[in-house]
Amino acid sequence: MKAETDVCIIGAGPVGLFAVFELGLLDMKCHLIDILDRPGGQCAELYPEKPIYDIPALPVVSGQELTDRLMEQIAPFNPTFHFDQMAIRLEKLAESEALPHGGWRVTTDQDSVIDCKVVVIAAGGGSFTPKKPAIEGIEAYEGTSVFYSVRQMEKFRGKKLLIAGGGDSALDWTLNLQPLAASTGLIHHRDGFRAAPDSVNKMETLVKEGKVAKHIAKLKGLKGENGKLEAVIATSKETGDFEIPCDTLLPFYGLTMKLGPVGGFGYEVKDGLIPVDTEKFETSTPGIFAIGDINWYPGKLKLILSGFHEAALMSQQAFRICFPDRRLRFQYTTSSTDLHNKLGVAA
Ligand SMILES: Cc1cc2nc3c(=O)[nH]c(=O)nc-3n(C[C@H](O)[C@H](O)[C@H](O)COP(=O)(O)OP(=O)(O)OC[C@H]3O[C@@H](n4cnc5c(N)ncnc54)[C@H](O)[C@@H]3O)c2cc1C
């Protein structure tokens, strides 16, 4: 998939989302890329139900509610999201008809290519990456028989699945994929699941009905050839080693945050953070900005409200790059008819 836009934002956490609003008020269109399958970054992934008390004018708001409200706030600007994709490459583009002042090409691991005038790195603590089971040689099966996320359920139709883990993801996918799969197993190291009680009850019902095979054991090894899985070798104190026949293993052991590709895009990176100035929040490469938890400047506080402020100032400079011939006017959302029209609230 190929697209052209004004601004490409890497990271759809709270700060990347709010940047869409500030950029939108100044007429800039945005595409956002996130390795997660939904918006919200840390708020949605790490603490969706926890209350946040320091968002201005919202005395208490949960991580998920903040995300939902940001999505509502940016809806008038109709951003394009590329979820389940990692931004892996950033290249400088020469001047062209579409980009008279040059620009950037961002490529993802799913081969989406986004050409833009400005890049905003809003990558927070880095990309969320799956924790992998400690099984020797598992890499040989990744992408063919071992998957850490479900991008398309259809891909697993008719498969002999083994799902590993005891949290919400493992249980949700057991329930969702069981009707499609030829067979479904669930393996967890103890007979206690951290997932929502309703999901656990539904899974236990499927086990009683013989539709899901539950294994209380640890993953130990993989059996197969040329990346094609034939069985998983499991082990427990009671049974010792045993084989579970399957052609697909889906381990859901949670996510960890890693700086990842945004650490190697050519601008200065110091101690895993991207130094920026505090006027424009631009990196050492003009035209590439960094806002939110990923950036560093003297006095930086890793707070959502700091990222919101950074998004507003970054947008001013992004406007100058996107529209070099236009004058930037300061306007209040309360009183500007122009802004009301953009927000779809004009009387
Ligand atoms: C438990 C907890 C409680 C917190 N409580 C508060 C609080 O009370 N108040 C407060 O202000 N802050 C709080 N924070 C901090 C707050 O969550 C962060 O400041 C905020 O999430 C930063 O937003 P962000 O958009 O910069 O980054 P993030 O929320 O980290 O989002 C960055 C996104 O970028 C994506 N990404 C990174 N690299 C790539 C790539 N190469 N390709 C694709 N996607 C990529 C990631 O997957 C992620 O979704 C808390 C944090 C935690 C963990």
Side-chain angles (χ1 to χ4, degrees), residues 223-283:
K223 198 174 151 191
E225 267 178 30
N226 302 325
K228 283 186 100 181
L229 192 63
E230 288 160 21
V232 157
I233 300 157
T235 190
S236 77
K237 267 190 199 149
E238 293 73 32
T239 58
D241 292 359
F242 64 101
E243 280 187 19
I244 306 171
C246 60
D247 56 23
T248 305
L249 173 66
L250 299 170
F252 293 109
Y253 286 2
L255 297 169
T256 163
M257 291 190 91
K258 280 192 188 154
L259 182 60
V262 297
F265 283 168
Y267 39 70
E268 187 192 349
V269 175
K270 203 172 159 216
D271 300 329
L273 297 169
I274 305 174
V276 290
D277 65 86
T278 51
E279 182 194 347
K280 308 182 297 286
F281 298 94
E282 204 162 24
T283 68

Short mmCIF file of all heavy atoms in Angstrom, two decimals, residues 223-283:
data_model
loop_
_atom_site.label_atom_id
_atom_site.label_comp_id
_atom_site.label_asym_id
_atom_site.label_seq_id
_atom_site.Cartn_x
_atom_site.Cartn_y
_atom_site.Cartn_z
N LYS A 223 8.84 -29.55 17.54
CA LYS A 223 9.21 -30.66 16.66
C LYS A 223 8.69 -30.37 15.26
O LYS A 223 7.50 -30.03 15.10
CB LYS A 223 8.56 -31.94 17.20
CG LYS A 223 9.15 -33.21 16.69
CD LYS A 223 8.53 -34.39 17.40
CE LYS A 223 8.56 -35.58 16.46
NZ LYS A 223 7.76 -36.68 16.99
N GLY A 224 9.54 -30.44 14.28
CA GLY A 224 9.11 -30.18 12.90
C GLY A 224 10.32 -29.99 12.01
O GLY A 224 11.46 -30.16 12.46
N GLU A 225 10.05 -29.65 10.75
CA GLU A 225 11.15 -29.45 9.80
C GLU A 225 10.88 -28.27 8.89
O GLU A 225 9.72 -28.01 8.55
CB GLU A 225 11.30 -30.71 8.91
CG GLU A 225 12.32 -31.68 9.48
CD GLU A 225 12.42 -32.94 8.64
OE1 GLU A 225 12.20 -32.85 7.42
OE2 GLU A 225 12.73 -33.98 9.23
N ASN A 226 11.92 -27.57 8.49
CA ASN A 226 11.81 -26.44 7.55
C ASN A 226 10.75 -25.42 7.97
O ASN A 226 9.97 -24.95 7.14
CB ASN A 226 11.48 -26.94 6.13
CG ASN A 226 12.54 -27.90 5.64
OD1 ASN A 226 13.72 -27.74 5.95
ND2 ASN A 226 12.11 -28.91 4.91
N GLY A 227 10.69 -25.13 9.25
CA GLY A 227 9.75 -24.12 9.74
C GLY A 227 8.32 -24.62 9.86
O GLY A 227 7.42 -23.86 10.18
N LYS A 228 8.08 -25.91 9.55
CA LYS A 228 6.71 -26.46 9.64
C LYS A 228 6.59 -27.25 10.93
O LYS A 228 7.25 -28.28 11.11
CB LYS A 228 6.40 -27.36 8.44
CG LYS A 228 6.09 -26.57 7.19
CD LYS A 228 5.65 -27.46 6.07
CE LYS A 228 4.13 -27.44 5.93
NZ LYS A 228 3.66 -28.33 4.86
N LEU A 229 5.74 -26.77 11.79
CA LEU A 229 5.59 -27.38 13.11
C LEU A 229 4.73 -28.65 13.03
O LEU A 229 3.70 -28.67 12.35
CB LEU A 229 4.91 -26.34 14.03
CG LEU A 229 4.88 -26.60 15.52
CD1 LEU A 229 6.29 -26.64 16.10
CD2 LEU A 229 4.08 -25.49 16.23
N GLU A 230 5.19 -29.71 13.75
CA GLU A 230 4.39 -30.96 13.80
C GLU A 230 3.84 -31.18 15.19
O GLU A 230 2.76 -31.73 15.38
CB GLU A 230 5.25 -32.15 13.39
CG GLU A 230 5.55 -32.16 11.90
CD GLU A 230 6.75 -33.02 11.56
OE1 GLU A 230 7.12 -33.89 12.38
OE2 GLU A 230 7.34 -32.79 10.49
N ALA A 231 4.61 -30.74 16.20
CA ALA A 231 4.17 -30.93 17.59
C ALA A 231 4.98 -30.02 18.49
O ALA A 231 6.08 -29.58 18.14
CB ALA A 231 4.38 -32.38 18.02
N VAL A 232 4.39 -29.73 19.64
CA VAL A 232 5.11 -29.00 20.68
C VAL A 232 5.47 -30.00 21.77
O VAL A 232 4.67 -30.88 22.11
CB VAL A 232 4.21 -27.86 21.22
CG1 VAL A 232 4.63 -27.44 22.61
CG2 VAL A 232 4.24 -26.68 20.26
N ILE A 233 6.68 -29.89 22.29
CA ILE A 233 7.05 -30.77 23.41
C ILE A 233 6.80 -29.98 24.69
O ILE A 233 7.31 -28.87 24.87
CB ILE A 233 8.52 -31.23 23.30
CG1 ILE A 233 8.69 -31.98 21.98
CG2 ILE A 233 8.90 -32.09 24.49
CD1 ILE A 233 10.08 -32.01 21.46
N ALA A 234 5.97 -30.55 25.54
CA ALA A 234 5.60 -29.90 26.79
C ALA A 234 6.10 -30.77 27.94
O ALA A 234 6.45 -31.94 27.76
CB ALA A 234 4.10 -29.74 26.87
N THR A 235 6.14 -30.16 29.12
CA THR A 235 6.60 -30.93 30.28
C THR A 235 5.89 -30.45 31.55
O THR A 235 5.55 -29.28 31.67
CB THR A 235 8.14 -30.82 30.43
OG1 THR A 235 8.58 -31.75 31.40
CG2 THR A 235 8.58 -29.42 30.85
N SER A 236 5.66 -31.40 32.46
CA SER A 236 5.14 -31.03 33.78
C SER A 236 5.70 -32.02 34.80
O SER A 236 6.15 -33.12 34.41
CB SER A 236 3.61 -31.05 33.79
OG SER A 236 3.15 -32.37 33.87
N LYS A 237 5.66 -31.64 36.07
CA LYS A 237 6.19 -32.52 37.12
C LYS A 237 5.46 -33.86 37.11
O LYS A 237 6.05 -34.92 37.28
CB LYS A 237 5.99 -31.85 38.48
CG LYS A 237 7.18 -31.04 38.92
CD LYS A 237 7.01 -30.63 40.37
CE LYS A 237 7.94 -29.46 40.66
NZ LYS A 237 7.41 -28.56 41.65
N GLU A 238 4.14 -33.80 36.93
CA GLU A 238 3.30 -35.00 37.03
C GLU A 238 3.53 -35.97 35.86
O GLU A 238 3.62 -37.17 36.04
CB GLU A 238 1.81 -34.64 37.05
CG GLU A 238 1.36 -33.89 38.30
CD GLU A 238 1.84 -32.45 38.32
OE1 GLU A 238 1.97 -31.84 37.24
OE2 GLU A 238 2.14 -31.93 39.43
N THR A 239 3.65 -35.38 34.65
CA THR A 239 3.66 -36.25 33.46
C THR A 239 5.04 -36.42 32.84
O THR A 239 5.24 -37.31 32.01
CB THR A 239 2.75 -35.65 32.36
OG1 THR A 239 3.24 -34.34 32.08
CG2 THR A 239 1.30 -35.57 32.81
N GLY A 240 5.98 -35.56 33.20
CA GLY A 240 7.25 -35.54 32.46
C GLY A 240 7.02 -34.95 31.08
O GLY A 240 6.03 -34.24 30.86
N ASP A 241 7.92 -35.27 30.12
CA ASP A 241 7.78 -34.69 28.77
C ASP A 241 6.67 -35.40 28.00
O ASP A 241 6.51 -36.61 28.12
CB ASP A 241 9.09 -34.87 27.99
CG ASP A 241 10.20 -34.02 28.59
OD1 ASP A 241 9.94 -33.30 29.58
OD2 ASP A 241 11.32 -34.07 28.07
N PHE A 242 5.92 -34.62 27.22
CA PHE A 242 4.93 -35.23 26.32
C PHE A 242 4.74 -34.34 25.10
O PHE A 242 5.11 -33.16 25.12
CB PHE A 242 3.60 -35.48 27.04
CG PHE A 242 2.90 -34.24 27.52
CD1 PHE A 242 1.83 -33.69 26.81
CD2 PHE A 242 3.29 -33.59 28.70
CE1 PHE A 242 1.18 -32.55 27.25
CE2 PHE A 242 2.65 -32.44 29.15
CZ PHE A 242 1.59 -31.92 28.43
N GLU A 243 4.19 -34.92 24.04
CA GLU A 243 4.02 -34.16 22.78
C GLU A 243 2.58 -33.73 22.59
O GLU A 243 1.66 -34.49 22.89
CB GLU A 243 4.41 -35.04 21.58
CG GLU A 243 5.90 -35.12 21.38
CD GLU A 243 6.28 -35.86 20.10
OE1 GLU A 243 5.41 -35.99 19.21
OE2 GLU A 243 7.44 -36.27 20.00
N ILE A 244 2.39 -32.51 22.11
CA ILE A 244 1.05 -32.04 21.74
C ILE A 244 1.08 -31.80 20.23
O ILE A 244 1.73 -30.87 19.76
CB ILE A 244 0.70 -30.72 22.47
CG1 ILE A 244 0.87 -30.88 23.98
CG2 ILE A 244 -0.72 -30.28 22.11
CD1 ILE A 244 0.74 -29.57 24.75
N PRO A 245 0.40 -32.64 19.44
CA PRO A 245 0.41 -32.42 17.98
C PRO A 245 -0.27 -31.10 17.63
O PRO A 245 -1.33 -30.79 18.16
CB PRO A 245 -0.41 -33.60 17.43
CG PRO A 245 -0.50 -34.57 18.56
CD PRO A 245 -0.40 -33.80 19.83
N CYS A 246 0.36 -30.31 16.79
CA CYS A 246 -0.23 -29.03 16.34
C CYS A 246 0.59 -28.52 15.16
O CYS A 246 1.74 -28.93 14.97
CB CYS A 246 -0.23 -27.99 17.47
SG CYS A 246 1.38 -27.58 18.09
N ASP A 247 -0.02 -27.67 14.34
CA ASP A 247 0.76 -27.08 13.24
C ASP A 247 0.98 -25.58 13.45
O ASP A 247 1.67 -24.94 12.66
CB ASP A 247 0.12 -27.36 11.87
CG ASP A 247 -1.32 -26.90 11.78
OD1 ASP A 247 -1.71 -25.99 12.55
OD2 ASP A 247 -2.07 -27.43 10.93
N THR A 248 0.35 -25.02 14.49
CA THR A 248 0.48 -23.57 14.73
C THR A 248 0.57 -23.31 16.23
O THR A 248 -0.27 -23.80 17.00
CB THR A 248 -0.75 -22.83 14.16
OG1 THR A 248 -0.88 -23.17 12.78
CG2 THR A 248 -0.60 -21.33 14.30
N LEU A 249 1.58 -22.55 16.61
CA LEU A 249 1.72 -22.17 18.04
C LEU A 249 1.55 -20.66 18.16
O LEU A 249 2.20 -19.89 17.43
CB LEU A 249 3.11 -22.59 18.55
CG LEU A 249 3.47 -22.12 19.96
CD1 LEU A 249 2.58 -22.78 21.02
CD2 LEU A 249 4.95 -22.42 20.27
N LEU A 250 0.67 -20.24 19.07
CA LEU A 250 0.45 -18.81 19.30
C LEU A 250 0.79 -18.48 20.76
O LEU A 250 -0.06 -18.62 21.64
CB LEU A 250 -1.03 -18.45 19.03
CG LEU A 250 -1.57 -18.69 17.63
CD1 LEU A 250 -3.08 -18.53 17.60
CD2 LEU A 250 -0.93 -17.72 16.66
N PRO A 251 2.02 -18.07 21.04
CA PRO A 251 2.36 -17.73 22.44
C PRO A 251 1.92 -16.29 22.75
O PRO A 251 2.22 -15.38 21.99
CB PRO A 251 3.90 -17.83 22.47
CG PRO A 251 4.32 -18.33 21.13
CD PRO A 251 3.21 -18.04 20.18
N PHE A 252 1.20 -16.11 23.85
CA PHE A 252 0.80 -14.76 24.30
C PHE A 252 1.34 -14.55 25.71
O PHE A 252 0.66 -14.80 26.70
CB PHE A 252 -0.74 -14.60 24.26
CG PHE A 252 -1.28 -14.63 22.87
CD1 PHE A 252 -2.03 -15.71 22.42
CD2 PHE A 252 -1.04 -13.59 21.99
CE1 PHE A 252 -2.52 -15.74 21.12
CE2 PHE A 252 -1.52 -13.61 20.68
CZ PHE A 252 -2.27 -14.69 20.25
N TYR A 253 2.60 -14.11 25.78
CA TYR A 253 3.29 -13.95 27.06
C TYR A 253 3.43 -12.48 27.44
O TYR A 253 4.28 -12.11 28.23
CB TYR A 253 4.69 -14.59 26.99
CG TYR A 253 4.68 -16.10 27.02
CD1 TYR A 253 3.50 -16.82 27.08
CD2 TYR A 253 5.88 -16.82 27.00
CE1 TYR A 253 3.49 -18.21 27.10
CE2 TYR A 253 5.89 -18.21 27.04
CZ TYR A 253 4.69 -18.88 27.08
OH TYR A 253 4.68 -20.26 27.11
N GLY A 254 2.66 -11.63 26.83
CA GLY A 254 2.73 -10.20 27.15
C GLY A 254 3.69 -9.47 26.23
O GLY A 254 4.31 -10.05 25.34
N LEU A 255 3.80 -8.16 26.48
CA LEU A 255 4.60 -7.29 25.61
C LEU A 255 5.66 -6.56 26.42
O LEU A 255 5.47 -6.30 27.60
CB LEU A 255 3.69 -6.26 24.95
CG LEU A 255 2.60 -6.79 24.02
CD1 LEU A 255 1.61 -5.69 23.66
CD2 LEU A 255 3.19 -7.39 22.77
N THR A 256 6.74 -6.24 25.75
CA THR A 256 7.76 -5.43 26.39
C THR A 256 8.07 -4.25 25.45
O THR A 256 7.77 -4.34 24.26
CB THR A 256 9.02 -6.30 26.67
OG1 THR A 256 10.11 -5.48 26.90
CG2 THR A 256 9.37 -7.17 25.50
N MET A 257 8.60 -3.15 25.98
CA MET A 257 8.88 -2.00 25.11
C MET A 257 10.36 -1.91 24.77
O MET A 257 11.20 -1.99 25.66
CB MET A 257 8.42 -0.71 25.79
CG MET A 257 6.92 -0.62 25.90
SD MET A 257 6.36 1.00 26.45
CE MET A 257 6.15 1.82 24.88
N LYS A 258 10.65 -1.76 23.48
CA LYS A 258 12.04 -1.64 23.02
C LYS A 258 12.14 -0.45 22.10
O LYS A 258 11.22 -0.22 21.32
CB LYS A 258 12.42 -2.87 22.19
CG LYS A 258 12.79 -4.07 23.00
CD LYS A 258 13.42 -5.10 22.09
CE LYS A 258 13.61 -6.39 22.86
NZ LYS A 258 13.63 -7.55 22.01
N LEU A 259 13.25 0.28 22.15
CA LEU A 259 13.42 1.46 21.29
C LEU A 259 13.17 1.09 19.83
O LEU A 259 12.46 1.78 19.11
CB LEU A 259 14.81 2.06 21.48
CG LEU A 259 15.10 3.32 20.68
CD1 LEU A 259 14.13 4.42 21.03
CD2 LEU A 259 16.54 3.77 20.89
N GLY A 260 13.74 -0.02 19.39
CA GLY A 260 13.47 -0.53 18.04
C GLY A 260 13.97 0.38 16.94
O GLY A 260 14.89 1.18 17.14
N PRO A 261 13.34 0.28 15.75
CA PRO A 261 13.88 0.96 14.56
C PRO A 261 14.01 2.48 14.70
O PRO A 261 14.89 3.07 14.09
CB PRO A 261 12.85 0.64 13.47
CG PRO A 261 12.12 -0.56 13.96
CD PRO A 261 12.17 -0.53 15.45
N VAL A 262 13.16 3.15 15.50
CA VAL A 262 13.24 4.62 15.57
C VAL A 262 14.57 5.08 16.18
O VAL A 262 14.91 6.26 16.10
CB VAL A 262 12.07 5.26 16.36
CG1 VAL A 262 10.74 5.00 15.68
CG2 VAL A 262 12.05 4.82 17.82
N GLY A 263 15.32 4.15 16.74
CA GLY A 263 16.65 4.48 17.27
C GLY A 263 17.70 4.57 16.17
O GLY A 263 18.83 5.03 16.43
N GLY A 264 17.36 4.15 14.96
CA GLY A 264 18.37 4.11 13.89
C GLY A 264 17.98 4.87 12.65
O GLY A 264 18.32 4.46 11.53
N PHE A 265 17.23 5.95 12.81
CA PHE A 265 16.75 6.70 11.64
C PHE A 265 17.66 7.88 11.27
O PHE A 265 17.29 8.75 10.48
CB PHE A 265 15.32 7.20 11.86
CG PHE A 265 14.25 6.13 11.71
CD1 PHE A 265 12.95 6.36 12.12
CD2 PHE A 265 14.55 4.90 11.16
CE1 PHE A 265 11.96 5.38 11.97
CE2 PHE A 265 13.58 3.90 11.02
CZ PHE A 265 12.29 4.15 11.42
N GLY A 266 18.83 7.96 11.87
CA GLY A 266 19.84 8.93 11.41
C GLY A 266 19.99 10.17 12.28
O GLY A 266 21.05 10.80 12.27
N TYR A 267 18.97 10.57 13.02
CA TYR A 267 19.11 11.72 13.91
C TYR A 267 19.84 11.28 15.18
O TYR A 267 20.00 10.08 15.45
CB TYR A 267 17.73 12.31 14.25
CG TYR A 267 16.66 11.27 14.46
CD1 TYR A 267 16.68 10.43 15.57
CD2 TYR A 267 15.65 11.07 13.51
CE1 TYR A 267 15.72 9.46 15.75
CE2 TYR A 267 14.69 10.09 13.68
CZ TYR A 267 14.73 9.29 14.80
OH TYR A 267 13.80 8.30 14.98
N GLU A 268 20.22 12.28 15.98
CA GLU A 268 20.96 11.97 17.21
C GLU A 268 20.06 11.22 18.21
O GLU A 268 18.88 11.56 18.39
CB GLU A 268 21.44 13.28 17.86
CG GLU A 268 22.37 13.05 19.04
CD GLU A 268 22.62 14.33 19.86
OE1 GLU A 268 22.24 15.43 19.39
OE2 GLU A 268 23.17 14.19 20.95
N VAL A 269 20.61 10.19 18.81
CA VAL A 269 19.91 9.44 19.87
C VAL A 269 20.88 9.34 21.04
O VAL A 269 22.05 8.99 20.86
CB VAL A 269 19.52 8.02 19.39
CG1 VAL A 269 18.90 7.22 20.53
CG2 VAL A 269 18.55 8.09 18.21
N LYS A 270 20.39 9.70 22.24
CA LYS A 270 21.29 9.67 23.41
C LYS A 270 20.60 8.89 24.53
O LYS A 270 19.47 9.23 24.91
CB LYS A 270 21.54 11.11 23.85
CG LYS A 270 22.80 11.27 24.64
CD LYS A 270 23.08 12.75 24.89
CE LYS A 270 24.01 12.86 26.06
NZ LYS A 270 23.75 13.98 26.89
N ASP A 271 21.26 7.89 25.03
CA ASP A 271 20.70 7.05 26.10
C ASP A 271 19.27 6.58 25.77
O ASP A 271 18.38 6.60 26.63
CB ASP A 271 20.70 7.80 27.44
CG ASP A 271 22.11 8.20 27.85
OD1 ASP A 271 23.05 7.45 27.50
OD2 ASP A 271 22.27 9.26 28.47
N GLY A 272 19.06 6.21 24.54
CA GLY A 272 17.75 5.67 24.15
C GLY A 272 16.67 6.72 23.96
O GLY A 272 15.50 6.36 23.78
N LEU A 273 17.03 8.00 24.01
CA LEU A 273 16.04 9.07 23.82
C LEU A 273 16.51 10.00 22.70
O LEU A 273 17.69 10.01 22.36
CB LEU A 273 15.87 9.87 25.12
CG LEU A 273 15.32 9.07 26.30
CD1 LEU A 273 15.44 9.89 27.58
CD2 LEU A 273 13.87 8.65 26.06
N ILE A 274 15.58 10.77 22.15
CA ILE A 274 15.92 11.64 21.02
C ILE A 274 15.98 13.08 21.50
O ILE A 274 14.95 13.67 21.85
CB ILE A 274 14.85 11.50 19.90
CG1 ILE A 274 14.69 10.02 19.50
CG2 ILE A 274 15.23 12.36 18.70
CD1 ILE A 274 13.57 9.76 18.50
N PRO A 275 17.19 13.68 21.53
CA PRO A 275 17.29 15.08 21.95
C PRO A 275 16.57 16.01 20.98
O PRO A 275 16.66 15.82 19.76
CB PRO A 275 18.81 15.35 21.95
CG PRO A 275 19.45 14.00 21.99
CD PRO A 275 18.51 13.09 21.27
N VAL A 276 15.84 16.98 21.53
CA VAL A 276 15.12 17.98 20.71
C VAL A 276 15.32 19.35 21.33
O VAL A 276 15.69 19.48 22.51
CB VAL A 276 13.60 17.67 20.64
CG1 VAL A 276 13.31 16.43 19.83
CG2 VAL A 276 13.00 17.55 22.04
N ASP A 277 15.02 20.40 20.54
CA ASP A 277 15.01 21.75 21.12
C ASP A 277 13.63 21.97 21.73
O ASP A 277 12.69 21.20 21.46
CB ASP A 277 15.27 22.79 20.01
CG ASP A 277 14.15 22.79 18.99
OD1 ASP A 277 13.16 23.49 19.21
OD2 ASP A 277 14.24 22.05 17.99
N THR A 278 13.48 23.01 22.55
CA THR A 278 12.20 23.21 23.23
C THR A 278 11.35 24.31 22.58
O THR A 278 10.36 24.74 23.15
CB THR A 278 12.41 23.54 24.72
OG1 THR A 278 13.35 24.60 24.80
CG2 THR A 278 12.91 22.34 25.48
N GLU A 279 11.77 24.73 21.39
CA GLU A 279 10.93 25.69 20.66
C GLU A 279 10.06 24.96 19.64
O GLU A 279 8.86 25.20 19.53
CB GLU A 279 11.84 26.70 19.94
CG GLU A 279 11.07 27.78 19.20
CD GLU A 279 11.96 28.54 18.23
OE1 GLU A 279 13.21 28.41 18.30
OE2 GLU A 279 11.40 29.24 17.37
N LYS A 280 10.71 23.97 18.95
CA LYS A 280 10.01 23.30 17.84
C LYS A 280 9.90 21.79 18.07
O LYS A 280 9.22 21.10 17.35
CB LYS A 280 10.77 23.55 16.54
CG LYS A 280 11.06 25.03 16.27
CD LYS A 280 11.77 25.26 14.95
CE LYS A 280 13.15 24.66 14.83
NZ LYS A 280 14.23 25.34 15.58
N PHE A 281 10.66 21.28 19.01
CA PHE A 281 10.71 19.83 19.27
C PHE A 281 11.18 19.06 18.04
O PHE A 281 10.70 17.98 17.73
CB PHE A 281 9.38 19.32 19.86
CG PHE A 281 9.12 19.99 21.16
CD1 PHE A 281 8.34 21.14 21.22
CD2 PHE A 281 9.74 19.55 22.31
CE1 PHE A 281 8.17 21.83 22.41
CE2 PHE A 281 9.58 20.23 23.51
CZ PHE A 281 8.79 21.37 23.56
N GLU A 282 12.16 19.68 17.36
CA GLU A 282 12.75 19.08 16.16
C GLU A 282 13.98 18.27 16.58
O GLU A 282 14.70 18.64 17.51
CB GLU A 282 13.16 20.20 15.19
CG GLU A 282 13.23 19.77 13.74
CD GLU A 282 13.19 20.99 12.80
OE1 GLU A 282 13.55 22.11 13.23
OE2 GLU A 282 12.80 20.82 11.63
N THR A 283 14.22 17.16 15.88
CA THR A 283 15.41 16.36 16.16
C THR A 283 16.62 17.02 15.50
O THR A 283 16.49 18.10 14.91
CB THR A 283 15.25 14.94 15.57
OG1 THR A 283 15.24 15.06 14.15
CG2 THR A 283 13.94 14.27 16.03
#
